[in-house]
Amino acid sequence: MLRILVKEGSTISILNFHQKRTLVNVKLKWVKDSVLDSVVAGGTELKAGTTLVSIIASQSTSGIPIYHLQRKHRQLGLPHDLKVSTFLRRYPNIFQEFFCSDSAGTPVPWFKLTPETLEFHHEQVDVFRQCSTDIVSRLRKVLMMTNKRMLPLQTIDQLKWDLGLPHDCASSLIIKYPKLFSLMDLPDGRVGLRLLAWDHKLTVSHLEANSAKENGTLMFPIGFTRGFGLKRKCMKWLEEWQKLPYTSPYVDASHLDPRTDVSEKRIVGVFHELLNLTLQKKTERNNVSNLRKPLELPQKFTKVFERHPGIFYISMKGDRQTIILREAYERTQLIEKHPLVHIREKFANMMKQGFLDRSRGLYKDNNQGPQEEESLTSSFVGETCGTRYYSDIGSDSGMGLEHEAKKIKVLQEC
């Protein structure tokens, strides 16, 4: 008899079953799904574009010099051979380029948001504000799935876009909930985010809330790529696997033998829940690489994505692997769209239109002339001199959220 406990200590159920001692050695082939691959297409550009909008809009000035934006290259996730300036110039309807002279009189490219983009940014901020309770709940649930109710900010930074967290969430969101979250220094020098308040109402997983039990067991929705041939042996294993007990991702699973199919079903449940917490029900495989210890997962835990292609699809689009939750899509469309997804789709259309208009030559004569450049230079002279403005931009260390949190901690200690 095995007793399963919620991480806060209250018993939720007692299950009687015998764990199978070994994982069934079943290998399922990967089959390309062009429809779901199209879901991933353009994601890198969309994330980089919206992040740049947030960075530029957050500054006290009306623009930002290119050498500060270039430092964000790694954080933006752009290809190594693509300059930030080249990316910005692809979308002149979103980012307006102008020039300011430096102390030596050399013209330096600056970028600001167009009026249309400023209007979009304000709309996005309004949606963030309206959805703040939901976004905070998503972050709380992720932390509740961990064994210590804590994650390094570097790990959260990797999931920030997928969870719908704002670019500056440490200062614009987390700091506003001191009764829910606290920042803490970790032994390795990093900063962690700890959850302070456990909420039993949030411990119901998406599968538990939306699936009916069959013969007393929760089963995952299954769907395969068209043309996927499942052998009879694999079908029988999958049917038996589905009948195994479901272990909630919010429950202590330390009693499970990692070498069993029961444990594997728990791992599938963890990522089924994690993907459901993301806005677009997908994330890059690299984003979950740091979750093994916090989620108490065995070595090579991501193998479940290959073993269960009816639940997860691994897209190889764009020289990276993206894990997509199959059940969340009706061909290329999300079945349930979060308000922030609608905002992202609107911005994606803006980017597409700007790119097409530029390719048609509609922005050839849009550069600032010498006289306008001189007036802009004089208008910015009071805002660009000194070091305070430059230091606020930060460098691209790959830990933007952690850098932001450390500044907050310093301010709180003053």
Side-chain angles (χ1 to χ4, degrees), residues 1-20:
M1 179 181 293
L2 297 175
R3 183 180 293 270
I4 298 180
L5 304 177
V6 175
K7 291 186 177 75
E8 284 296 282
S10 60
T11 304
I12 61 166
S13 63
I14 299 177
L15 301 177
N16 293 296
F17 62 88
H18 295 286
Q19 295 187 55
K20 295 181 179 179

Side-chain angles (χ1 to χ4, degrees), residues 376-395:
L376 282 167
T377 302
S378 60
S379 68
F380 278 96
V381 70
E383 297 176 325
T384 60
C385 59
T387 58
R388 185 177 62 177
Y389 166 69
Y390 293 133
S391 63
D392 285 344
I393 304 298
S395 60

Side-chain angles (χ1 to χ4, degrees), residues 92-323:
N93 64 324
I94 297 174
F95 307 105
Q96 183 177 345
E97 183 179 8
F98 60 99
F99 295 87
C100 285
S101 299
D102 60 15
S103 58
T106 305
V108 176
W110 281 56
F111 288 89
K112 64 180 181 179
L113 303 181
T114 64
E116 180 186 6
T117 310
L118 279 172
E119 183 179 341
F120 160 80
H121 175 69
H122 294 320
E123 182 180 353
Q124 180 178 240
V125 170
D126 287 339
V127 174
F128 270 127
R129 189 179 297 111
Q130 295 166 13
C131 299
S132 60
T133 301
D134 172 73
I135 294 172
V136 168
S137 294
R138 291 170 187 266
L139 180 57
R140 292 176 71 188
K141 286 171 76 75
V142 171
L143 292 172
M144 287 170 66
M145 291 168 64
T146 65
N147 52 6
K148 295 181 179 179
R149 294 188 298 175
M150 186 277 298
L151 280 174
L153 283 179
Q154 185 179 2
T155 301
I156 296 175
D157 212 22
Q158 291 178 291
L159 295 167
K160 183 169 60 177
W161 166 261
D162 298 321
L163 294 174
L165 297 172
H167 169 71
D168 57 347
C169 65
S171 57
S172 67
L173 189 72
I174 294 173
I175 198 173
K176 294 181 180 179
Y177 296 88
K179 294 183 179 180
L180 296 180
F181 308 108
S182 70
L183 298 172
M184 57 181 295
D185 294 321
L186 301 179
D188 59 5
R190 294 183 297 172
V191 177
L193 182 67
R194 178 182 290 278
L195 180 68
L196 300 178
W198 181 275
D199 189 346
H200 287 282
K201 294 179 183 178
L202 298 179
T203 60
V204 179
S205 70
H206 185 274
L207 188 67
E208 290 172 314
N210 295 277
S211 301
K213 288 187 176 181
E214 296 185 27
N215 299 321
T217 304
L218 281 172
M219 298 188 180
F220 294 97
I222 300 288
F224 291 97
T225 304
R226 187 175 181 179
F228 191 97
L230 198 61
K231 295 181 180 180
R232 183 174 298 179
K233 173 186 175 182
C234 296
M235 288 181 63
K236 184 176 180 181
W237 164 75
L238 186 57
E239 290 172 358
E240 292 298 319
W241 182 88
Q242 283 273 46
K243 295 175 183 177
L244 293 173
Y246 170 79
T247 304
S248 169
Y250 302 104
V251 161
D252 180 11
S254 58
H255 61 277
L256 294 179
D257 186 336
R259 299 166 296 176
T260 64
D261 278 348
V262 173
S263 176
E264 183 185 66
K265 187 169 182 179
R266 182 254 172 182
I267 298 171
V268 171
V270 166
F271 287 107
H272 183 272
E273 180 71 357
L274 182 63
L275 288 174
N276 268 297
L277 291 176
T278 65
L279 297 185
Q280 295 175 275
K281 317 307 177 190
K282 60 185 178 70
T283 190
E284 291 182 19
R285 189 168 185 165
N286 288 340
N287 291 346
V288 300
S289 61
N290 295 326
L291 293 175
R292 187 180 73 82
K293 290 184 178 179
L295 296 179
E296 297 182 312
L297 302 173
Q299 296 283 353
K300 299 181 180 180
F301 64 91
T302 58
K303 290 293 183 182
V304 298
F305 301 136
E306 282 96 355
R307 281 172 58 86
H308 295 277
I311 301 173
F312 310 108
Y313 173 65
I314 306 174
S315 174
M316 308 292 184
K317 193 82 172 178
D319 297 326
R320 63 191 70 196
Q321 294 187 18
T322 303
I323 312 302

Side-chain angles (χ1 to χ4, degrees), residues 10-44:
S10 60
T11 304
I12 61 166
S13 63
I14 299 177
L15 301 177
N16 293 296
F17 62 88
H18 295 286
Q19 295 187 55
K20 295 181 179 179
R21 299 311 301 171
T22 58
L23 280 166
V24 176
N25 187 21
V26 173
K27 291 184 179 180
L28 301 180
K29 63 179 180 179
W30 177 83
V31 177
K32 181 180 175 63
D33 190 326
S34 300
V35 174
L36 288 181
D37 279 340
S38 65
V39 170
V40 177
T44 300

